[in-house]
Structures are given as C-alpha cells and as structure tokens.
Amino acid sequence: MKFSLLSTALLATISFVSNAEALWKPTVGSTWNYVLGHKINLATEKAEVLEIDVNKSASLIQEYHNVGKKVICYFSGGTIEDFRDDKKDYEAVPGLVRNTYEAWDDEKWLDFRIEGIKPLIIKRMKLAVSKNCDGIEVDNVDAYQMKEVKSWTDPITREQTVVFLKWLGSTAHSLGISIGLKNVNGLIDEVGQYFDFAINEDCHHYNDECRKYKNFLASGKPVFAVAY
Ligand SMILES: *[C@@H]1O[C@H](CO)[C@@H](O)[C@H](O)[C@H]1NC(C)=O
C-alpha cells in the first residue's frame, strides 16, 4: 500500500516536470504572422510562428506542425463574441456579460472579476491544449483602459487586471501551454514573469509604448508586434 502510494506520487511529479519542460518558449527574433481572418498559404508562408483562432481544427494545426511551424491559438478572455459556441455558458453566469464593445459591436465586455469566468477560460485553454496549440493569446485584457468599461459604476481597476493576468499565466502553465500577454504593456514589468511572450498592437503609434518591453525582451522573451 505504502509502495503504491509512493509510486503514484512519483509519477505525478514526473508528469508535472515533463509538462513544464515541454512548454514552448519562443525566442527573441522568431518570425510571426497573425492570421485570424484569412487562410494561410503554406507554400509561401515564411513565418515560423502562426497565430490562428482557437476555433480552427486540430487537423489544420497538425498541417502547420508538419511543416515545422509553431501555432498560437487566439481567444478573447475579456469579451464574448456573438459567434462563439460557448456564448450561452458565459450568459449563464450572473453579472459576467456586460455592455457592448463599441469598436467591435458583436462583442460584449466581460467582468472577469466574477469567479464564474474561470471554468469557462479553463475550458478554452483545454480546447487549445487538445488541439495541440503551442501557445495561446488571451485578448481584450485591457478592459480597464477602455471607455465602455470605465463607464461602469464599478469599473475594473488596474490592480484587478494584474490579479487576473497572473491567474491566466499560472493557469495556462499548469495546463501545459505557453501564453502570451496581449497589449497592456504598462503592466508588463508586474506580470511579465507569468508569460512566455507578448503580443502588441501598434505600440509605435504612442510615445514610449514600445520601450515598456525593454525588461521583458532583456529577459529573453519575444514581443510579436502587429502594426495597422
Ligand atoms: C472563428 O473565429 C473567427 C475570428 O477569429 C471568426 O471570424 C469565425 O466566424 C469563427 N468561426 C466559427 C465557426 O466560429
């Protein structure tokens, strides 16, 4: 009895370690293509890392792996889009789904301080793991900076965002998948250690914004950038 207990404990330790070691850690200088909307032509695609929506099929991800690409899978953690097939699960959590994101009017802001969001996010992360995505991007974690959320009577704060981000990073790692921090570069020095890479939109448009990645980059983690 004692012996079998011990070996179970040992096995659990070993599988935890191999999970952690298997985590994909992209390096500074990796090339990247952000392709949420259209198809990727593998014959001409040069980027080493491709980002696609988590709703894409496992067989497509396998095709990308077969030619040596790494795959980041996208989902939104700060909003719920009308087309998601788990939208009803979000609506079933009291207080979770809030007002419309004006720039993307098929999306509604989520109050991610509500505990009931956690199993839903974990389910999405597990979906990404089951499809063999190498990493995930959890979008729209910048709610506290957005005017629609600032207008709530109980707006999400910067500190509450930091708490949520640390939870996202730790949870992804505990499930064995790498995770990128999307935007919120003003928080990167506080939460960067919980993330394996960053994704930034348009930091060069704003004074000094790209510079906020200095320490993160110096720690050997890449920032994948998109300019519009
Ligand atoms: C998959 O996600 C993309 C956005 O990333 C969306 O345009 C598309 O409608 C989604 N497809 C399905 C079947 O949900």
Side-chain angles (χ1 to χ4, degrees):
M1 188 62 201
K2 251 188 181 160
F3 181 72
S4 78
L5 263 182
L6 176 70
S7 58
T8 312
L10 210 67
L11 266 181
T13 313
I14 291 167
S15 65
F16 174 76
V17 168
S18 68
N19 241 4
E21 279 174 358
L23 264 193
W24 172 60
K25 309 254 183 197
T27 52
V28 175
S30 312
T31 54
W32 177 67
N33 200 357
Y34 200 34
V35 226
L36 297 183
H38 58 94
K39 282 202 160 168
I40 294 169
N41 180 354
L42 275 188
T44 54
E45 182 56 59
K46 293 207 170 57
E48 299 154 351
V49 181
L50 303 176
E51 177 155 349
I52 59 174
D53 196 281
V54 74
N55 68 14
K56 294 292 195 303
S57 69
S59 61
L60 184 72
I61 293 167
Q62 185 60 51
E63 262 177 58
Y64 297 159
H65 282 158
N66 288 346
V67 293
K69 310 290 190 194
K70 294 292 182 184
V71 180
I72 300 172
C73 293
Y74 170 99
F75 67 85
S76 176
T79 65
I80 180 75
E81 303 115 318
D82 281 339
F83 62 81
R84 290 286 164 197
D85 47 19
D86 55 0
K87 186 184 165 206
K88 283 203 168 58
D89 302 335
Y90 281 76
E91 288 169 341
V93 178
L96 181 57
V97 178
R98 304 282 291 253
N99 49 342
T100 299
Y101 187 169
E102 284 168 25
W104 300 92
D105 62 8
D106 65 338
E107 294 182 32
K108 292 202 170 57
W109 291 104
L110 297 175
D111 186 348
F112 56 63
R113 298 167 297 187
I114 306 251
E115 282 293 306
I117 196 175
K118 289 184 175 171
L120 301 174
I121 297 262
I122 289 171
K123 206 169 152 196
R124 295 249 187 103
M125 287 182 178
K126 285 184 170 167
L127 177 68
V129 170
S130 76
K131 292 183 178 184
N132 268 326
C133 304
D134 299 288
I136 51 171
E137 171 195 334
V138 182
D139 196 15
N140 297 311
V141 292
D142 54 356
Y144 79 103
Q145 297 174 310
M146 308 302 286
K147 69 171 172 22
E148 299 93 340
V149 175
K150 284 181 177 169
S151 77
W152 297 358
T153 53
D154 55 343
I156 294 173
T157 66
R158 180 186 195 282
E159 289 65 34
Q160 289 164 337
T161 304
V162 167
V163 171
F164 182 59
L165 290 170
K166 288 180 177 174
W167 177 81
L168 283 177
S170 311
T171 304
H173 291 154
S174 74
L175 295 172
I177 195 160
S178 175
I179 181 169
L181 180 67
K182 177 71 174 296
N183 293 330
V184 292
N185 27 339
L187 306 182
I188 195 137
D189 285 334
E190 278 158 83
V191 303
Q193 61 183 297
Y194 292 82
F195 291 83
D196 309 291
F197 55 94
I199 292 173
N200 181 273
E201 290 171 301
D202 271 346
C203 65
H204 64 282
H205 275 181
Y206 309 97
N207 266 347
D208 271 355
E209 286 285 284
C210 297
R211 240 181 266 188
K212 292 184 177 156
Y213 287 110
K214 197 174 151 217
N215 298 330
F216 189 76
L217 285 163
S219 76
K221 296 177 180 179
V223 181
F224 296 120
V226 51
Y228 300 109

